[in-house]
Amino acid sequence: MNELLVELNRQGRDVNAKYIVITDKKIKEENSGRHYIYLTAEALDECVLSDQMDEKIAPFNKMGKLQNELTSSFEIEPIVIEIENEKSFEQPELGDNFTVSVNEGIYGIPLQSRINEVKERFGTPSFEMMLADDSTLLSYGRNHWLTFQNGKLKKVEYPNTQVSNTLKNYIPFDDRFTDRRWKISESLYKNTLLEIHDEDKNQLHYKGEKGALTIHTTTYLRNNQKYSQSQVTGFSLFSTDYSPSKVGRSDETNNTKILASIFNLVTSLDEPQSLGLSQFDFDPLAQMSKYKEEQVYLLSPLILVESVGEYIKKIVVDPGLSKSAESSGWEMGPFASGQSEEEVNTIVENRGFFFDDILEIDNGKYMLKLFFEEVDGLNKLYKLEISIF
């Protein structure tokens, strides 16, 4: 239902509606045996009471729940979903420069370019993360990664192996970059097939005055099993003065502090959909745009929140977001990573619904999901999600 309401919100924005009123909800079973929810809504420019009409309560509230009918007419507050102003998301044309090189940089943007110049040329990044040493990591789509130090471009990677696939799955695709056929030269480009007779030469290196370029390949055995065939799958471009950067705020103490604050905010909700970003007293480590009306924030290497406009809709605590071993432990209220299924059931007093290694607890204002994995023969807690209604 949460995802359906987000889609309804988006479609209302497409027709420039100021308000949406849900008028019908149906649940149908398809041939596959699955059940699907269908919502019908009216888009409104205005929502005011009129002396010429009898007041009627909206059939469903903003969460899609049926409301009681009125036996008498009286003034009520309209039940609506408000359409927030859409945030700008710039995606300018990239042009026909496909070159990656030490001297030219990437697509006409040379190494040492300032971050504002890159954003003006490439547009709004899909992902932006602050690193520990006054550095910034940007991505355009899931494969193009740019590192800036002291505000200047020092490194470009395709792809980035230091960022976990779990985190990358939250980053939106950028079709301009995803399908871009980059080239090193006229004979060496994305997906080029190379004959490799020496396993030690599965990477090609180029050096210049401004930096260095490494071409990455994936090697396959040919049918005769005597020779290998390699495919060009990526590159790493460095400036001469680049130094490795570390992700900031990865210590367990900081994770515990953030999670304690979030737990207090969620458990003290007065009404559904009332937790806003402004209530967080800490700055995000990274930000990405999932859709134009949705934002995703990384609060620490293992804490992620999704929002629609100002309001938080999901909180995720997942060690899989980070490849750092020091970010694996977490504690949130009575729950902590590594707790056994039996320990968790004791905490929740068997109030949850357990299915496929996931324990769901419906609080009425939010849904808590606890994810377990088998460790040494025991189901142990490793991930937590909170969906706010």
Side-chain angles (χ1 to χ4, degrees), residues 357 371-376 378-383:
D357 294 331
F371 296 77
F372 295 83
E373 62 180 355
E374 187 174 331
V375 179
D376 298 329
L378 292 176
N379 260 4
K380 294 190 176 182
L381 179 62
Y382 76 95
K383 173 183 173 182

Side-chain angles (χ1 to χ4, degrees), residues 217-264:
T217 64
T218 300
T219 303
Y220 308 92
L221 285 174
R222 295 186 61 179
N223 292 337
N224 57 20
Q225 302 293 303
K226 293 182 179 180
Y227 299 106
S228 297
Q229 188 174 56
S230 293
Q231 185 175 38
V232 175
T233 54
F235 61 84
S236 298
L237 176 64
F238 303 84
S239 67
T240 54
D241 57 349
Y242 168 77
S243 58
S245 300
K246 293 183 178 180
V247 175
R249 299 209 304 258
S250 61
D251 60 285
E252 189 171 334
T253 302
N254 191 69
N255 288 330
T256 302
K257 180 180 177 182
I258 294 175
L259 290 174
S261 176
I262 292 176
F263 185 77
N264 290 335

Side-chain angles (χ1 to χ4, degrees), residues 266 268-273 362-367 387-389:
V266 171
S268 61
L269 284 174
D270 294 328
E271 58 184 26
Q273 204 175 4
D362 190 344
N363 181 268
K365 297 174 184 177
Y366 60 86
M367 173 73 77
S387 298
I388 301 176
F389 300 144

Side-chain angles (χ1 to χ4, degrees), residues 323-366:
K323 287 192 172 183
S324 171
E326 61 188 21
S327 298
S328 59
W330 58 266
E331 181 178 347
M332 187 174 189
F335 305 108
S337 58
Q339 287 177 331
S340 68
E341 183 181 327
E342 183 179 353
E343 290 175 312
V344 173
N345 274 325
T346 300
I347 294 171
V348 303
E349 299 177 344
N350 296 313
R351 289 182 288 110
F353 174 74
F354 197 88
F355 178 75
D356 198 19
D357 294 331
I358 301 175
L359 179 62
E360 295 186 354
I361 304 168
D362 190 344
N363 181 268
K365 297 174 184 177
Y366 60 86

Side-chain angles (χ1 to χ4, degrees), residues 32-295:
S32 62
R34 294 186 176 184
H35 290 75
Y36 293 83
I37 302 175
Y38 296 85
L39 292 183
T40 303
E42 292 185 8
L44 304 180
D45 285 331
E46 299 293 339
C47 192
V48 296
L49 297 174
S50 169
D51 295 336
Q52 307 300 319
M53 300 176 64
D54 291 334
E55 294 88 348
K56 292 170 57 180
I57 192 169
F60 298 87
N61 66 15
K62 62 184 180 181
M63 303 313 299
K65 294 183 178 180
L66 187 66
Q67 301 195 116
N68 295 326
E69 295 184 359
L70 300 176
T71 56
S72 59
S73 176
F74 58 88
E75 186 173 339
I76 62 169
E77 180 181 353
I79 306 299
V80 299
I81 298 176
E82 294 191 19
I83 306 298
E84 304 287 342
N85 291 329
E86 184 174 327
K87 294 184 178 181
S88 61
F89 192 85
E90 301 294 336
Q91 287 186 309
E93 294 293 332
L94 294 181
D96 57 1
N97 189 332
F98 297 88
T99 302
V100 177
S101 73
V102 174
N103 293 327
E104 297 184 40
I106 178 170
Y107 311 154
I109 294 290
L111 293 171
Q112 306 296 341
S113 295
R114 294 194 173 276
I115 191 169
N116 59 334
E117 296 173 339
V118 175
K119 288 183 177 180
E120 183 177 350
R121 174 70 174 80
F122 289 163
T124 306
S126 307
F127 175 90
E128 182 168 356
M129 173 184 280
M130 297 302 297
L131 303 178
D133 51 358
D134 194 27
S135 301
T136 303
L137 178 65
L138 303 185
S139 83
Y140 288 89
R142 298 182 180 182
N143 286 323
H144 286 75
W145 295 81
L146 289 69
T147 301
F148 297 80
Q149 294 177 337
N150 298 317
K152 293 184 178 181
L153 180 61
K154 303 292 185 178
K155 179 182 179 183
V156 182
E157 291 177 283
Y158 181 103
N160 186 322
T161 58
Q162 304 303 313
V163 177
S164 73
N165 289 331
T166 300
L167 180 57
K168 286 179 182 177
N169 286 337
Y170 286 94
I171 299 175
F173 291 102
D174 187 329
D175 293 338
R176 302 171 308 141
F177 283 85
T178 301
D179 301 325
R180 196 158 180 82
R181 192 176 178 83
W182 45 265
K183 65 178 183 179
I184 310 303
S185 66
E186 294 303 322
S187 60
L188 188 62
Y189 45 84
K190 180 182 178 182
N191 296 332
T192 302
L193 294 176
L194 304 173
E195 293 292 340
I196 302 291
H197 300 279
D198 187 344
E199 290 295 330
D200 294 333
K201 295 182 179 179
N202 60 352
Q203 290 187 336
L204 305 175
H205 302 277
Y206 299 88
K207 288 187 178 181
E209 293 182 1
K210 297 181 179 181
L213 174 65
T214 299
I215 310 303
H216 305 292
T217 64
T218 300
T219 303
Y220 308 92
L221 285 174
R222 295 186 61 179
N223 292 337
N224 57 20
Q225 302 293 303
K226 293 182 179 180
Y227 299 106
S228 297
Q229 188 174 56
S230 293
Q231 185 175 38
V232 175
T233 54
F235 61 84
S236 298
L237 176 64
F238 303 84
S239 67
T240 54
D241 57 349
Y242 168 77
S243 58
S245 300
K246 293 183 178 180
V247 175
R249 299 209 304 258
S250 61
D251 60 285
E252 189 171 334
T253 302
N254 191 69
N255 288 330
T256 302
K257 180 180 177 182
I258 294 175
L259 290 174
S261 176
I262 292 176
F263 185 77
N264 290 335
L265 288 170
V266 171
T267 54
S268 61
L269 284 174
D270 294 328
E271 58 184 26
Q273 204 175 4
S274 62
L275 179 58
L277 290 169
S278 59
Q279 294 173 258
F280 288 0
D281 59 355
F282 31 79
D283 296 325
L285 180 65
Q287 178 178 348
M288 64 198 86
S289 299
K290 187 175 180 182
Y291 303 105
K292 292 182 180 179
E293 67 272 18
E294 294 188 26
Q295 298 290 320

Side-chain angles (χ1 to χ4, degrees), residues 6 9 84 293-295 306-313:
V6 170
N9 194 356
E84 304 287 342
E293 67 272 18
E294 294 188 26
Q295 298 290 320
E306 298 182 46
S307 71
V308 179
E310 162 66 15
Y311 294 103
I312 302 296
K313 76 165 191 174

